[in-house]
Amino acid sequence: MKLGAFRNKRDHYLDFWDVVTYVSLALFAILLVYPVVRLVMASFMTQAGTFAAGEEFSMIQTYVEFFTIRYYYQTMINSFVASLLATLFAVIIGVPVAYLIYRIDIPGKLLVRVAIVLTFVSPPFIGAYAWVLLLGRAGVLTGFFANLGITLPSIYGWRGIVLVFTLQAFPFVFLLVSSGLRSVDQSLEDAAINMGRSSFGVFRTVILPLIVPSISTGALLVFVTTFSDFGTPMIIGEGFRVLATLVYTEFVNEFGGNPRVASTLAILMLSVTVGALLIQRYFAAKSSFGQEAVTPLGIRWVSTPKRIISSIIVYGIVFAAMLPTLTIIVSSFLESRGPMLIARFSLDGYRTAARLPLAFRNSVIFVFVSTVLCVVAGTLMGYIVARRKNRLTAVIDTLSMTPYAVAGLVLGVALSISFGGAPFYLSGTALILIMSFFVRRLPYSVRSVSGLLYQMGPHTEEASVNLGVPPGRTFLRVTLPQITPAVLSGSLLTMATIAREFNSTVILYSGRTRTLPVEVFVQVLQGNFGSASVVGTVLILLTLVPIVVLFKVFGKDEQALL
Amino acid sequence: MRRITLLLLIGALIATGTLFAAGTREAATDPSGRERRLVIYASHPTDMVDFYVERFKQRYGDIEVELITGGTGELLSRVQAERGRPQGDIMWGGGSHTGGSAPDLFLPYDSPALEGISPAFHDPKGFNAPFDAFTMVIVYNKNLVPENEVPRRWADLTDPKWRGRIVHANPAASSSSYAAMVTWLEIGGWDLVEALARNQIIAESSSAPFTQVGQGENPIGIAYEEGAFRWVPSGNVGIVYPEDGVALLPGGLFLMRNSPNPNNAKLFADFLLEQEQQEALARNFPGRRPTHRNVDLDPAMTQVDQLNVIEYPVDAASANRAEYLARWREIMIRTR
């Protein structure tokens, strides 16, 4: 007997899973569909909040202005230039580093893993500021190289943005390519070598095509994250203005205006990220081989000079990516006087951080509540998507994909427009923040549970139902125990990502509900890098806790971060 | 089966109920007329805000103070958004005209403590509790600007050699930077504003100009007095009070209309205008100008009589804010 057959006997009851299905749909309708619809509406509305088109006003006025005034459309061009270049460089760096680490016996791989994790947990926003301290016109490294007679190029403008974006985001490519390489079989390489290919030829003609889907997924993640990052360009842009920064400044700064311009810009941003997702999926589907490795690729023996060169490349790149995080941690232990950092060791930053406890408490509470909600909802939804296939659950499956493409900034603006003012007045409340964390992270939970259930197959559950245990109890007694380890390890990752969520929070928070990432932002904006780095370091620690548990208790490695 | 469904539903209800309850607030008053809480929206740097909140708590230990910080524009947007159900009691920051220009959001307040404040700083419309005053200054990095090239006037900053080297905050985001723009408008009209804008790097925070100049990232910034003075101890920065005119601007402190704790809001405004707190200001925050008539200025600062103080068009600046910012945006579109 199939799982679905059971309910036919009692069609007139509202089965537990039906309730889950309807509640899930309602949640998506409230937290995702409604806000996006409101966002679209807001971009068409007049100052007075009506659609009425008159002589002076047309509904698409802001859109027309965007595409006809260079001041505006230039930001779109700039965003594309910066993000596409960053994506390109992230692939150029990420693929070789992943390949070298996977294939060549490089000493101290643990260190590289630690470094990749550190880049992952480094608070957003503050990284760019750390680069200013290092490579700014008066930066530490700039001064060091100037003494050697070397003039470094400026960190300001598009070059700096591309550099910071690339180093922040290449771990995506690295992680995806590493996992892609695991499914390539050694026999393919052996065959190619036996037929006379050189080692580079093997890589180019055999291995590379097999990992193209992984590369394209990594590239998509780099593109989408950098396209919607407004902090980095805000700090080091200096006249190189991008779309994301414009969304932020138009939304938070208009006093007495309406959020129309911000909504229009957010809609444009949404179109780009959704477009990127669709293109990537089409591309990945075309180039996917559905392979499975019996004997994964092994370590390759290479001559000592080659090993040394590989190690230098890998360590050089990883060290560069880690630099800002190290700068933040070191700065947090320096004495500061107002905005000035003094080169003297001190713990005063931690002792006198009056604003830290509230932000810390908020972060911990929000992370905990949102993670629990995500895990519960994600597990139930993942289950219905995988096991209760019907038209409604197919809709849930699709909806659960969409938040991937909705950037935090866009979601923040949409939620704020929908629930911030009358009649809900949720602006700045814990509730609206938890809503945003929940919807941002839910897709990952749904995906991981449904993926796992597909892999496991329904046989044990069917056996249980056939022996007379109702589906609800079967879920609790049979399914849940099987997926619990994966759900728990997934929840740790959820904790880590929510802890550092920034782009939507910065739109929605108020002083009472400020979180650690927001506190970093406030301090950086006020020029207090000392305080910012203290809060930043605490945030790094808070993010590291679940990841360390994930690695130590669940025996995962950095692949789990995806 | 159905029991599980029921339990889950009850659980969900309790969870949402708790969340909502956490969001609502109580406005209990004690016999002295004081409420239990006070919610302050502040856009000043956190060290000064924290300093005074701490002192206030020392005096009125029973009042629970909640602080909401952010940029002036950001906080005012929030006040605007919450006007149907105000969440805050007092807005500390922004220009002195803010209250008078939004009488639907703020309350006039004739504090008894205004007695001690110099009449020059009183708000003609009666909204502001003028806790401090400031001017906009030119701040420069001594290592990057040779002595003979130090600008003396606003007009000097239009020289093409400074193209892309002067940091100024976005007037739409920062009230102090908006005041600077209005000052230029008074001195030289929109031509001067545009000529100055052409050379500027526009930052999104009013701390960026003095921070970047102090660090040596850029040679010149347009900053509020106190921010510029923060970097004086480093020995790297110089401060210029432009000879072609500076505006003397009282800082803003306003009671919010229909706020949950109106009595405590008055208490806080009275507190900040006291001579004792004004003296603490001069002593602890170099670069800030107290407004109390019996409190002396920090000796490092230039006395008012040595400045070329221009009449700041308070009413026009607030009445025409939208129009001026639209003009500014047009200038940005032209010059970028």
Side-chain angles (χ1 to χ4, degrees):
Chain A
M1 191 165 82
K2 287 268 176 213
L3 274 178
F6 187 84
R7 61 192 289 251
N8 294 340
K9 282 192 211 158
R10 20 179 284 176
D11 254 354
H12 49 288
Y13 286 113
L14 199 58
D15 164 301
F16 172 72
W17 295 112
D18 293 334
V19 175
V20 171
T21 308
Y22 294 128
V23 171
S24 309
L25 282 173
L27 274 178
F28 277 115
I30 295 169
L31 296 178
L32 192 67
V33 179
Y34 174 70
V36 171
V37 170
R38 282 291 299 264
L39 188 68
V40 175
M41 278 162 62
S43 74
F44 290 132
M45 285 203 249
T46 59
Q47 296 280 339
T50 61
F51 291 107
E55 275 171 46
E56 289 173 48
F57 178 76
S58 83
M59 270 176 44
I60 53 163
Q61 184 187 320
T62 42
Y63 291 91
V64 172
E65 276 174 9
F66 183 88
F67 288 106
T68 49
I69 298 174
R70 199 179 63 90
Y71 179 78
Y72 290 115
Y73 69 71
Q74 186 71 44
T75 60
M76 179 72 105
I77 297 173
N78 287 352
S79 282
F80 267 109
V81 169
S83 296
L84 287 176
L85 281 176
T87 309
L88 180 70
F89 287 124
V91 170
I92 292 178
I93 292 177
V95 175
V97 169
Y99 190 72
L100 291 177
I101 288 185
Y102 196 82
R103 299 305 309 278
I104 293 176
D105 186 20
I106 290 171
K109 281 186 186 174
L110 181 70
L111 207 63
V112 177
R113 286 174 55 185
V114 171
I116 296 284
V117 171
L118 268 184
T119 345
F120 183 82
V121 300
S122 179
F125 199 85
I126 196 175
Y129 200 81
W131 280 112
V132 170
L133 292 188
L134 294 167
L135 284 181
R137 297 186 188 101
V140 181
L141 292 181
T142 318
F144 176 76
F145 282 103
N147 285 340
L148 302 177
I150 304 167
T151 314
L152 294 179
S154 169
I155 189 79
Y156 294 98
W158 67 271
R159 288 184 200 84
I161 293 177
V162 171
L163 173 79
V164 175
F165 277 176
T166 305
L167 289 176
Q168 259 169 13
F170 90 87
F172 284 126
V173 179
F174 170 85
L175 291 174
L176 276 151
V177 169
S178 314
S179 106
L181 284 170
R182 289 184 187 190
S183 59
V184 177
D185 200 286
Q186 181 65 50
S187 62
L188 292 168
E189 185 185 50
D190 295 345
I193 288 175
N194 287 343
M195 288 190 282
R197 281 265 197 254
S198 68
S199 58
F200 181 72
V202 175
F203 175 74
R204 198 175 53 82
T205 57
V206 179
I207 297 175
L208 196 57
L210 290 173
I211 56 172
V212 159
S214 309
I215 297 176
S216 73
T217 310
L220 172 78
L221 288 173
V222 175
F223 179 80
V224 171
T225 15
T226 57
F227 198 85
S228 49
D229 180 351
F230 71 90
T232 303
M234 198 159 140
I235 292 177
I236 57 173
E238 278 203 357
F240 186 82
R241 296 164 313 108
V242 302
L243 188 57
T245 312
L246 202 60
V247 173
Y248 174 75
T249 54
E250 290 289 338
F251 193 73
V252 295
N253 293 324
E254 267 183 51
F255 179 45
N258 76 9
R260 184 158 168 228
V261 177
S263 318
T264 307
L265 300 172
I267 292 289
L268 293 169
M269 216 166 105
L270 184 65
S271 319
V272 171
T273 48
V274 170
L277 178 73
L278 293 178
I279 291 173
Q280 188 271 335
R281 279 172 62 85
Y282 171 75
F283 188 68
K286 244 180 51 177
S287 54
S288 166
F289 295 95
Q291 57 203 328
E292 214 167 303
V294 181
T295 328
L297 286 175
I299 299 276
R300 270 181 25 142
W301 184 88
V302 290
S303 63
T304 311
K306 277 190 182 168
R307 256 185 70 189
I308 293 174
I309 292 171
S310 311
S311 306
I312 290 175
I313 295 175
V314 167
Y315 278 97
I317 291 171
V318 166
F319 181 70
M322 257 175 74
L323 258 184
T325 315
L326 294 178
T327 310
I328 294 161
I329 296 174
V330 170
S331 310
S332 78
F333 293 107
L334 294 181
E335 199 177 310
S336 62
R337 225 156 82 209
M340 281 167 283
L341 278 183
I342 295 156
R344 201 180 311 142
F345 174 79
S346 155
L347 285 173
D348 280 356
Y350 290 90
R351 266 199 292 271
T352 59
R355 295 167 52 83
L356 184 59
L358 176 65
F360 182 77
R361 207 188 66 198
N362 281 340
S363 273
V364 171
I365 295 174
F366 298 162
V367 165
F368 185 74
V369 174
S370 324
T371 304
V372 169
L373 290 175
C374 263
V375 168
V376 172
T379 307
L380 294 174
M381 288 187 201
Y383 182 83
I384 53 175
V385 163
R387 291 287 191 262
R388 294 279 168 145
K389 286 195 175 297
N390 60 39
R391 251 182 316 191
L392 289 181
T393 56
V395 171
I396 292 173
D397 192 24
T398 315
L399 280 175
S400 75
M401 279 296 287
T402 32
Y404 281 117
V406 184
L409 191 57
V410 176
L411 183 74
V413 172
L415 285 178
S416 174
I417 288 175
S418 309
F419 302 111
F424 303 104
Y425 298 113
L426 293 186
S427 171
T429 58
L431 182 59
I432 201 168
L433 287 179
I434 290 171
M435 280 159 68
S436 81
F437 296 144
F438 175 71
V439 77
R440 283 276 281 162
R441 192 57 211 181
L442 185 62
Y444 299 85
S445 307
V446 176
R447 291 279 118 180
S448 72
V449 171
S450 65
L452 190 68
L453 286 172
Y454 280 130
Q455 223 173 34
M456 270 170 26
H459 316 296
T460 26
E461 292 154 58
E462 279 170 12
S464 161
V465 171
N466 286 345
L467 291 170
V469 183
R473 207 172 299 160
T474 298
F475 174 75
L476 287 179
R477 297 251 174 97
V478 179
T479 319
L480 212 50
Q482 283 180 294
I483 58 172
T484 298
V487 167
L488 283 182
S489 67
S491 70
L492 289 166
L493 186 59
T494 302
M495 279 185 183
T497 24
I498 293 178
R500 58 193 293 284
E501 171 65 33
F502 167 70
N503 281 352
S504 60
T505 322
V506 76
I507 298 282
L508 299 169
Y509 84 103
S510 70
R512 208 184 334 165
T513 49
R514 73 194 137 85
T515 59
L516 290 172
V518 166
E519 184 59 25
V520 171
F521 168 77
V522 171
Q523 294 298 342
V524 168
L525 272 200
Q526 292 191 356
N528 302 328
F529 187 69
S531 318
S533 55
V534 168
V535 183
T537 306
V538 172
L539 176 55
I540 290 173
L541 285 176
L542 182 69
T543 327
L544 270 180
V545 170
I547 290 179
V548 168
V549 175
L550 187 69
F551 286 15
K552 290 284 161 202
V553 179
F554 289 87
K556 299 278 178 182
D557 61 13
E558 69 277 4
Q559 288 302 324
L561 295 181
L562 280 175
Chain B
M1 183 68 253
R2 285 162 71 199
R3 208 184 305 154
I4 296 172
T5 317
L6 198 66
L7 279 177
L8 275 176
L9 280 175
I10 292 172
L13 277 177
I14 294 173
T16 29
T18 329
L19 286 174
F20 271 108
T24 57
R25 62 227 147 83
E26 330 89 86
T29 33
D30 76 354
S32 68
R34 271 191 230 147
E35 298 90 356
R36 273 185 41 213
R37 306 181 58 220
L38 172 65
V39 183
I40 303 171
Y41 286 23
S43 62
H44 285 289
T46 45
D47 50 354
M48 187 184 79
V49 174
D50 291 343
F51 176 85
Y52 278 105
V53 166
E54 218 28 67
R55 284 174 86 103
F56 184 75
K57 278 189 194 158
Q58 275 165 22
R59 172 137 6 135
Y60 304 103
D62 52 331
I63 299 177
E64 188 190 322
V65 181
E66 193 180 306
L67 201 55
I68 295 188
T69 52
T72 306
E74 180 190 345
L75 290 177
L76 288 174
S77 302
R78 196 154 278 181
V79 175
Q80 176 99 336
E82 293 166 351
R83 67 187 176 284
R85 203 182 76 168
Q87 302 289 302
D89 300 301
I90 204 157
M91 169 75 202
W92 188 9
S96 61
H97 54 82
T98 311
S101 61
D104 53 327
L105 302 179
F106 300 106
L107 278 176
Y109 179 46
D110 186 19
S111 166
L114 277 172
E115 285 280 288
I117 304 297
S118 302
F121 300 116
H122 285 212
D123 179 4
K125 291 192 177 162
F127 283 76
N128 194 18
F131 157 75
D132 68 342
F134 70 100
T135 69
M136 292 301 284
V137 297
I138 299 172
V139 54
Y140 65 94
N141 189 301
K142 291 178 180 168
N143 306 322
L144 301 175
V145 182
E147 194 53 41
N148 57 347
E149 287 188 26
V150 172
R152 294 287 154 211
R153 304 176 307 143
W154 293 119
D156 294 343
L157 298 181
T158 59
D159 191 316
K161 75 179 170 199
W162 300 123
R163 173 74 51 92
R165 304 183 67 199
I166 301 169
V167 192
H168 181 219
N170 181 0
S174 147
S175 55
S176 59
S177 137
Y178 177 74
M181 186 190 84
V182 175
T183 309
W184 305 331
L185 187 58
E186 283 298 293
I187 296 170
W190 286 108
D191 289 344
L192 179 63
V193 177
E194 180 156 348
L196 284 164
R198 198 175 290 281
N199 283 350
Q200 290 168 356
I201 300 166
I202 304 301
E204 291 304 329
S205 138
S206 53
S207 305
F210 59 82
T211 309
Q212 291 196 17
V213 171
Q215 285 175 342
E217 291 300 319
N218 275 300
I220 295 179
I222 291 157
Y224 56 92
E225 214 173 358
E226 186 266 340
F229 269 88
R230 290 171 157 227
W231 279 91
V232 166
S234 73
N236 292 335
V237 307
I239 290 166
V240 173
Y241 291 90
E243 288 161 9
D244 43 357
V246 291
L248 201 55
L249 303 147
L253 182 78
F254 309 99
L255 273 53
M256 292 185 206
R257 200 172 272 280
N258 300 326
S259 83
N261 311 292
N263 296 331
N264 288 352
K266 289 178 180 165
L267 209 58
F268 189 72
D270 299 346
F271 172 80
L272 286 184
L273 299 182
E274 276 173 11
Q275 181 160 352
E276 190 189 334
Q277 310 312 328
Q278 292 277 307
E279 275 162 1
L281 181 72
R283 205 169 43 242
N284 295 293
F285 298 96
R288 294 223 174 239
R289 288 177 188 267
T291 50
H292 199 280
R293 51 179 113 212
N294 299 333
V295 176
D296 291 329
L297 196 62
D298 172 4
M301 295 168 68
T302 308
Q303 301 290 332
V304 176
D305 50 21
Q306 321 225 332
L307 299 177
N308 175 16
V309 177
I310 62 157
E311 186 82 30
Y312 187 78
V314 180
D315 290 333
S318 69
N320 303 329
R321 194 171 193 273
E323 187 204 323
Y324 286 179
L325 287 179
R327 288 289 286 267
W328 171 263
R329 187 188 292 208
E330 281 165 27
I331 291 174
M332 287 292 108
I333 290 172
R334 263 202 304 280
T335 56
R336 293 291 177 277

